[in-house]
Amino acid sequence: MAGFLRGKQAGIQNDLSAGILPGLFSPDDQARFGVNSQVNSLAYDPVQSLLAVGTKETTFGSGQIYVFGQSRVQLTFTLPRRASVKTLQFVADRLISLDSKNEIIIWDLQHGKKLAAYNPPGVVTALVTDPMLDWALIGLQTGDIVAYDLDREKLAPLRLPNFWRDRNPRSRLLSVVSMQLHPRDIGQLLIGYPEGAVIYSFKQAKPIKYFEYEVPPGASGGNPDPSNQGTARRPLLTQAFWHPTGTFVGTSHNDASMVFWDPKDGRAIMARTLSDSHVNIPTKGSNSTQTFDLKEPFSRVVWCAKDNPDDTGILVAGGVPTTMPEKGLTFLELGQTPVYATSSWQVLTDHFEAKRQRFLPTPPGTEIVDFCLIPRASPHFAGAQDPIMILGILSSGELISLSFPSGYPVSPTNNLPPSLSFVHPFVTSIAVASVDRTRWLGMVENRQRGPPILRGGAEGVKRLRKGEARNIVSMAHGDGTLRLWDAGHGDELENSGMIQVDIARALNRYDDIIITSMSMAGSTGELAVGVSTGEVVIYHWDGNKLFGREAPNTVETIPGGLTDISSRSEPALKEGLQPFVLYDMAQGPITAVKMSDVGFVGIGSEGGSFSIIDLRVPTIIFSTSMSELIKPEKRSSFMRKGSSQSSQRPDWAVVIEFGVMTLEGDNYSSIACFVGSNQGKIITFKILPEANGGYTAQYTGISTLNDKIISITPIITSSGKLASATGATVGALRTGQQTHGTLVVATQTEARIFKPATAKGAHKSWDDFFCESAAVTEFDGHGFALVGIFGDCTARAYSIPALKEISLTKLEILDKTRLSNAIVTPSGAIFGWTGPSEVAMLNVWGTGQPLPPPHDKLFNPEALVPPRPTISNLQWISGMQYVSPLDLDILIGGPDRPPSKRMIAAAAEEDRLARSGGAGSSRAPATQSTEGWGDYMTRQLNERTAKLNIMGDSTDQMLDHSSAWAEDASKFVSKQKRNLLIGGITGKFF
């Protein structure tokens, strides 16, 4: 009976929810966007062109591993127990992870599953793998190193003791802090301990060089503290690293100094900081009372190279003075490496003075704590050969992209997937618009950009839903950028690209940019964005007349009016959403903005102002203060309980909607604008044409509800369809066609269906919890219902017009503290936050299905890892001990280990190199070596002797040929002289 009465009160004769049964309201978990926590680790595979991201453990759950490929290709690995992901490394078709619980896990990229896990006997402090090896070398806090067999998934026989204990038995700092394999000779391992570094030879099974850095008395060192310059200091080592060709060794220390060593004799070539060189050499006349700048410790140091590995530079995070206001990375460009055999000691020393130094700044208030280089092609040289981009992790857990080596910011648009854009930088708010499919297909941004870094993987096959509007997500970021992309409906995406607009550039300032509201038109693709300082920027799709260049003249913003800002377009954007108009409302933060499909924009601010803009001119057709409109209503209701308190609280717009319908008391339909306030007022405006071709807006009336307005939905009373203001419905007004409609309004404590502007209509109060988000949704073929999300983390569906509860379901996956930011779309999709930077997409008209398993393919077996760089023939002939990957497999795994697939492939490659004259093992493919160490050395000596004999024979042949050529040339010259003499005599006498 109550439902029947509500239908009569609302003026709706039909039950618009008759076909919706309670069992049909069962949300499907369709997708996740973003990452569940702060980013803690990165890894990039240039062969497969994949990027792996590891996150931290938080109250929202355990850290996770995300692997991204081209477009929307993505695979997520969940740790078996709650932990943070500390390290990620790609090894062929595997991904190796180390978490905060010291568990090493092997993930299969080809099949998307966990292969094995290993818990080492102690705390893991360093992990080293190589794309060409089946081994993971694990450094422990005790200083020991163990090897794990990635192919056999078990511990290897090799275990290296703490070598620094032998050098300094009294030392207490014994942990392994850093490890790196020689970039060309895989038989050498550089191990860093807190007190120094060691080069270990697998072939000789012993350390062959020690490096210990000591600052003598009188030397400044990294942090030149005058109080301790008179004593010798031993700064603790934080990282040890190889030159890209192995010519030098570098170590970084906790006093912000770097030391470069000669690995042949163990001498220090130079010790320097980012600003000073030779800091380990005593200086005369030092003043013990002078002040000094304390420097930050190094976060990470990478010795990178161009395509030519001898042309190098050093990229450093940290090491700058703590008083430096601007943070960032430092790049020391060293240039071409001197030829070691022919260079003097002074030449080697001067090389580390650096040709030039570049500072790569980060945004204010941010600091890079770790970074991952994106190399162009090679996975070798520690992933630092010919890098094109730097992907940095900020101390806040966000990401930043910088070009290399220039350090210019790189937009993640069309370079990184939307999920990574959630932390590039953090998203502050989102909005969802239903955009026509044909309109979205035409919105393909044409922007200058570098080569794509993610080209791997293949998307799984999904169904294609051509008839539905697209769910376009607008993401507002903390740096003043806005990105738009298609979230879809769990179906195939025809346009998976992202669109970016730069609000800061449109406002012509780069500080205090906080985006507060966003709205996109579903038919035209126009976009309106409001900020906290009271401006609204309007964009439309267009080409850039200033493409490739800056505007010749600056445009001054008109306070309180409209400013043409088309000249503030981005030079790199050829076609896309271009800035059109700026409205400087200057009445406090923008609290609501609505872009209609017919060229009108409604704008409300916290100061209580409300304006309507006609974009066809453009001009402001209406502007008022909401307090002026609400005053009469407040005076007429002064006898109501609590009216004195409510009258003192200001009203401002929180929801704005446009529609076409016949308003109360009219006999014609018109364009209407409905404004909902934070105090529960619904104000109706009528937009009418003028004789001069323009439009004007008139205040029609006001209706008062109990509290803050959550949603306003104009619907057609006969069908339940949206009574939206579209081109078709506005065009039909010329023929006198009438649209009989009503408003469905949800507030925090009630729902009401009434005919605007002032009718009472039907009413229903919520029981125990506030409504946080709501919308009228359509279930294809069944009807319409009001769907709301409530404070007890539930979703409820109510019939129209009876407002009877159809069904209720729990939304356990959503973050209860951010339910007010959840969004319900007209198609029945729910976008809700599950964590600080992750959003879940649900479909309420489903069957209760869980999150579907991924069908994307990550690994491409045809993309082969290139052979590992080796020593040159000249180095091999001169007696340098070369260890091939197959030799290392025997040294680590022992002679009884069966050959793996990788070993068989490597043996075939070495056999091919041997036949072509390259350096490699002479062992037959897929065979096991049984020779002893003496036989091995004899074979090596014979091979080198044979090479030398070949070289000697070639030299002798060259000398013979040269002698014969000289003899022939001498005979030819003598013959020519004789012919010349005889010819002269013959010409003279005859």
Side-chain angles (χ1 to χ4, degrees), residues 520-533:
M520 189 176 192
S523 298
T524 62
E526 294 171 316
L527 176 69
V529 182
V531 298
S532 62
T533 49

Side-chain angles (χ1 to χ4, degrees), residues 187-271:
Q188 294 186 24
L189 175 66
L190 179 63
I191 309 171
Y193 301 97
E195 295 185 358
V198 173
I199 296 179
Y200 174 78
S201 171
F202 287 100
K203 176 66 69 175
Q204 302 180 34
K206 66 176 183 179
I208 56 177
K209 280 293 178 293
Y210 287 87
F211 308 98
E212 185 174 7
Y213 176 48
E214 179 177 332
V215 182
S220 61
N223 282 318
D225 186 356
S227 62
N228 59 15
Q229 285 193 17
T231 60
R233 290 98 67 200
R234 289 188 174 90
L236 298 181
L237 183 144
T238 58
Q239 187 180 343
F241 45 91
W242 285 102
H243 181 277
T245 61
T247 308
F248 306 107
V249 166
T251 57
S252 62
H253 300 266
N254 66 347
D255 66 342
S257 64
M258 292 183 292
V259 186
F260 302 100
W261 308 83
D262 183 351
K264 294 187 180 299
D265 58 14
R267 289 188 297 168
I269 302 173
M270 177 189 283

